Amino acid sequence: MQCFSFIKTMMILFNMLIFLCGVALLAVGIWVSVDGPSFMKIFGPLSSSAMEFVNVGYFLIAAGAVLLTLGFLGCYGAQTENKCALMMFFFILLLIFTAEVAAAVVVLVYTTMAENFLTLMVVPTIKKEYGSQKDFTQVWNSTMEGLKCCGFNNYTDFEDSPYEKENNVFPPYCCFDHDNGTFVEPCTRVEAQNQKVEGCFNQLLYDIRTNAVTVGGVAAGIGGLELAAMIVSMYLYCNLK
C-alpha cells in the first residue's frame, strides 16, 4: 500500500506539472494568435520568422490542449482512482508515442524520399514567390542566414524567381565565402557556381547529424518519460479495486 500511495502521489505531481505546462503553452498560443505584433515586439525578428514559417500560434494551442488534457486525465484519474480516466490517459500517450516512433522511422529510413517529396513542393514555391511575397522572402532570408545555406537544394532554386528576374542576380546568401566569412557581391551565376553553397535541406541534415547525440538524448528522454507514465498509469489501473 505504501508503494501504491507513493506512485499515486508522484503521478499526481507529474501530471500537475504537465497540466501547468499545457496551460502556459495554450496561453502563449492564444496570445500569439490574437496579438501577434506584441509577441514579435518582445521576442524580436526571430519570432517573426518562426511565426511566418510555421503558424506558431495554432501549433502552441494544439500542443497546449494535448498537454492540458493529458495532465487533467492523469491527475484526475490518480486522485479519484478513476479507471476510465487512467485508461484514456494511457491510450492518448500510446498514440503520441506510436506517432513519434513512426515519424522517427520515416525520417531515418525515407530521408531521400522525403527530400524528393519536399523538393516537388518547396522549389516551385520559391520560384513563384521569392522576391514578390514579403513574408515568404523574409522567412527564407532568415533561414539561409542562420544555416549559411542557399535555397532548398542550391542556387538554381532561385532561377526564374521574381527576385532573380528583377535584380538579375541570386540572393547574396548563395555567394557566401566560408573561407573569409563574407558575401561575394553581386551574386551572379558564375559566383554562385564557384562558391557552391550547400542547400538548406542538406545543411539542416548535416547539423542534425552533427548534434545526433544531443538530439538522440532528448528524444530518448522524452520517450522514456512517456513509457514511464504509461507503465505507472497501467500499474494504478491494475491495482484499483
Side-chain angles (χ1 to χ4, degrees), residues 78-114:
Q79 177 64 34
T80 61
E81 299 185 355
N82 186 300
K83 282 193 169 186
C84 181
L86 287 172
M87 186 56 68
M88 287 178 65
F89 174 85
F90 174 84
F91 275 118
I92 292 174
L93 259 186
L94 182 62
L95 284 174
I96 294 172
F97 183 78
T98 304
E100 289 171 349
V101 171
V105 170
V106 168
V107 169
L108 292 172
V109 177
Y110 298 105
T111 302
T112 303
M113 185 184 295

Side-chain angles (χ1 to χ4, degrees), residues 40-74:
M40 290 185 283
K41 185 177 179 181
I42 293 173
F43 291 97
L46 184 62
S47 63
S48 174
S49 300
M51 284 176 66
E52 291 155 4
F53 190 66
V54 189
N55 200 320
V56 159
Y58 294 122
F59 175 78
L60 291 177
I61 288 173
V66 171
L67 288 179
L68 192 146
T69 303
L70 269 177
F72 172 77
L73 287 173

Side-chain angles (χ1 to χ4, degrees), residues 7-154:
I7 291 177
K8 176 181 173 181
T9 303
M10 293 304 296
M11 179 78 169
I12 293 170
L13 292 175
F14 176 73
N15 282 284
M16 281 181 65
L17 182 62
I18 292 179
F19 182 85
L20 292 174
C21 288
V23 170
L25 283 178
L26 197 60
V28 173
I30 293 172
W31 173 27
V32 171
S33 300
V34 174
D35 192 15
S38 66
F39 179 85
M40 290 185 283
K41 185 177 179 181
I42 293 173
F43 291 97
L46 184 62
S47 63
S48 174
S49 300
M51 284 176 66
E52 291 155 4
F53 190 66
V54 189
N55 200 320
V56 159
Y58 294 122
F59 175 78
L60 291 177
I61 288 173
V66 171
L67 288 179
L68 192 146
T69 303
L70 269 177
F72 172 77
L73 287 173
C75 199
Y76 175 78
Q79 177 64 34
T80 61
E81 299 185 355
N82 186 300
K83 282 193 169 186
C84 181
L86 287 172
M87 186 56 68
M88 287 178 65
F89 174 85
F90 174 84
F91 275 118
I92 292 174
L93 259 186
L94 182 62
L95 284 174
I96 294 172
F97 183 78
T98 304
E100 289 171 349
V101 171
V105 170
V106 168
V107 169
L108 292 172
V109 177
Y110 298 105
T111 302
T112 303
M113 185 184 295
E115 181 180 4
N116 294 335
F117 176 72
L118 288 171
T119 299
L120 291 173
M121 292 181 60
V122 177
V123 174
T125 309
I126 293 175
K127 291 183 181 293
K128 179 182 177 182
E129 297 189 353
Y130 187 86
S132 64
Q133 223 283 344
K134 182 181 177 181
D135 292 342
F136 182 84
T137 303
Q138 184 180 350
V139 168
W140 269 102
N141 286 343
S142 300
T143 303
M144 291 189 290
E145 182 180 7
L147 293 176
K148 298 293 184 293
C149 58
C150 169
F152 187 81
N153 297 306
N154 52 43

